[in-house]
């Protein structure tokens, strides 16, 4: 099987600078040494633009279980051209398995930047928080100049707004400071999206369950727990507040992300995808009414 979490440690060269804040009363835009110096005619000039058939989607995190789940849903829909950036060592095993994905070596600067320049959506879906430099690189190049970028989606975690309180989120954040890192990513995305006139969506999850490898586990008790979760917790909630934690099925999170691409109401929103006890999920139309 493909190595997990290898994709979160991508190394990029030629990092764009996102200048955040007001310049001469106008919204500033991304500046790097090959910035186009053109005002971006982008999504949040006209907020809530949605993806259409044939649009390019750049999916980051394709080596992680959640990324593979999103990829399989995008391939099932067969509406978009999907691309990704990978480290050199992952290129050949990935390309032999997923021929239809436009996989570009992240160290191939010109082609990496071209992939981002042509993206209508970027989905950053690593299972561990990437550093803010990765987000800066992806958002900066995808939104620089006159690009077709309509949406930037970030996978994040529940508990961010509660991590300072003494409770479950506080303890969850003690090891590795993951919630602090996700909070930094969310803040940079919101400020960067505002400065660059791009729509964003943040999708938070609880503990991720039911991935592509869930039932290949030699630990039979763990497999039984996953089967029980799959049977009992089919209902889905999309809370906009950050009041509770829970478990999130990777399939439901992936579906919510793919659905968000075509829903204007998900632009510039933060919501969680949590599973709840129940026999069925309900329609996405009804679920998205809550955000």
């Amino acid at each position: 099987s493909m190595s997990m979490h290898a994709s979160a440690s991508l190394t990029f060269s030629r990092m764009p600078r996102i200048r955040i804040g007001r310049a001469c009363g106008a919204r500033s835009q991304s500046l790097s040494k090959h910035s186009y110096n053109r005002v971006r005619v982008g999504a949040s000039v006209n907020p809530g633009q949605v993806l259409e058939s044939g649009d390019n989607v750049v999916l980051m995190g394709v080596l992680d279980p959640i990324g593979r789940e999103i990829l399989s849903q995008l391939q099932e829909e067969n509406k978009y051209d999907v691309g990704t950036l990978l480290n050199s060592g992952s290129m050949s095993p990935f390309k032999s398995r997923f021929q239809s994905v436009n996989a570009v070596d992240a160290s191939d600067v010109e082609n990496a930047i071209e992939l981002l320049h042509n993206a209508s959506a970027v989905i950053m879906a690593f299972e561990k928080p990437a550093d803010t430099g990765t987000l800066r690189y992806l958002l900066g190049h995808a939104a620089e100049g006159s690009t077709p970028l309509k949406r930037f989606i970030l996978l994040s975690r529940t508990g961010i707004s509660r991590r300072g309180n003494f409770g479950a989120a506080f303890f969850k954040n003690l090891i590795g400071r993951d919630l602090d890192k996700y909070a930094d990513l969310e803040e940079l995305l919101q400020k960067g999206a505002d400065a660059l006139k791009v729509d964003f969506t943040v999708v938070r999850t609880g503990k991720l369950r039911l991935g592509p490898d869930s039932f290949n586990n030699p630990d039979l008790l763990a497999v039984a727990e996953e089967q029980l979760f799959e049977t009992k917790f089919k209902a889905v909630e999309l809370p906009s507040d950050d009041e509770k934690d829970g478990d999130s099925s990777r399939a439901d999170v992936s579906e919510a992300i793919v659905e968000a691409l075509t829903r204007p109401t998900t632009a510039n929103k933060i919501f969680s995808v949590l599973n709840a006890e129940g026999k069925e999920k309900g329609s996405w139309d009804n679920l998205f009414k809550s955000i």
Side-chain angles (χ1 to χ4, degrees):
S1 72
M2 306 188 73
S3 64
M4 297 300 103
H5 309 312
S7 48
S9 56
L10 280 167
T11 45
F12 300 110
S13 49
R14 205 182 293 182
M15 192 72 83
R17 290 195 307 280
I18 301 175
R19 200 168 62 183
I20 291 166
R22 306 281 172 199
C24 311
R27 282 185 172 185
S28 60
Q29 60 182 32
S30 150
L31 291 176
S32 75
K33 54 188 169 193
H34 53 239
S35 177
Y36 292 108
N37 298 321
R38 287 179 285 186
V39 174
R40 197 185 129 66
V41 184
S44 45
V45 180
N46 178 12
Q49 283 189 56
V50 297
L51 262 65
E52 289 156 26
S53 276
D55 279 348
N56 294 311
V57 174
V58 173
L59 171 61
M60 301 299 298
V62 287
L63 301 185
D64 292 355
I66 187 76
R68 281 151 59 207
E69 189 72 54
I70 297 167
L71 178 57
S72 73
Q73 298 215 10
L74 287 168
Q75 289 182 314
E76 210 174 294
E77 282 220 333
N78 199 23
K79 276 173 65 176
Y80 313 117
D81 291 324
V82 182
T84 191
L85 295 173
L86 294 170
N87 281 328
S88 308
S90 308
M91 284 288 289
S92 135
F94 182 85
K95 286 183 97 158
S96 64
R97 195 168 153 187
F98 299 102
Q99 291 91 343
S100 66
V101 178
N102 181 14
V104 173
D105 189 327
S107 63
D108 177 354
V109 176
E110 299 304 327
N111 282 325
I113 290 173
E114 187 185 359
L115 180 77
L116 290 167
H117 271 333
N118 292 323
S120 293
V122 176
I123 301 170
M124 188 166 154
F126 299 113
E127 293 217 358
K128 296 278 180 204
D131 58 34
T132 49
T134 300
L135 190 150
R136 189 176 285 273
Y137 178 91
L138 296 171
L139 180 60
H141 283 308
E144 183 178 63
S146 293
T147 67
L149 188 69
K150 298 173 184 174
R151 189 76 64 92
F152 194 109
I153 297 182
L154 172 69
L155 186 75
S156 187
R157 284 287 179 278
T158 58
I160 282 174
S161 57
R162 290 173 282 119
R163 70 191 190 284
N165 309 341
F166 195 74
F170 176 85
F171 289 108
K172 201 160 75 169
N173 194 40
L174 277 180
I175 301 162
R177 296 276 169 201
D178 279 4
L179 291 180
D180 287 345
K181 292 171 188 170
Y182 280 119
D184 289 345
L185 288 168
E186 287 191 12
E187 186 182 3
L188 178 62
L189 176 58
Q190 289 176 77
K191 288 181 174 171
D194 180 57
L196 297 170
K197 303 183 175 68
V198 180
D199 285 339
F200 73 88
T201 305
V202 173
V203 179
R204 291 173 175 165
T205 76
K207 180 186 174 188
L208 288 165
R209 305 281 296 266
L210 297 173
D213 307 315
S214 288
F215 301 120
N216 304 336
N217 193 332
D219 179 349
L220 297 179
L221 188 59
V223 170
E225 283 176 340
E226 289 293 87
Q227 286 168 335
L228 187 64
F229 174 76
E230 188 175 38
T231 310
K232 280 187 72 178
F233 289 82
K234 288 190 184 297
V236 172
E237 297 171 350
L238 303 182
S240 294
D241 55 28
D242 187 23
E243 295 302 310
K244 62 178 182 178
D245 298 301
D247 291 356
S248 306
S249 145
R250 286 182 179 87
D252 291 329
V253 172
S254 302
E255 221 177 308
I257 286 171
V258 173
E259 285 282 334
L261 294 171
T262 57
R263 291 176 184 271
T265 54
T266 59
N268 309 312
K269 296 280 173 63
I270 299 176
F271 62 90
S272 303
V273 179
L274 294 171
N275 286 85
E277 207 165 329
K279 295 268 188 285
E280 58 182 32
K281 178 165 52 199
S283 76
W284 285 109
D285 285 341
N286 282 337
L287 288 166
F288 276 113
K289 280 178 188 161
S290 68
I291 68 162

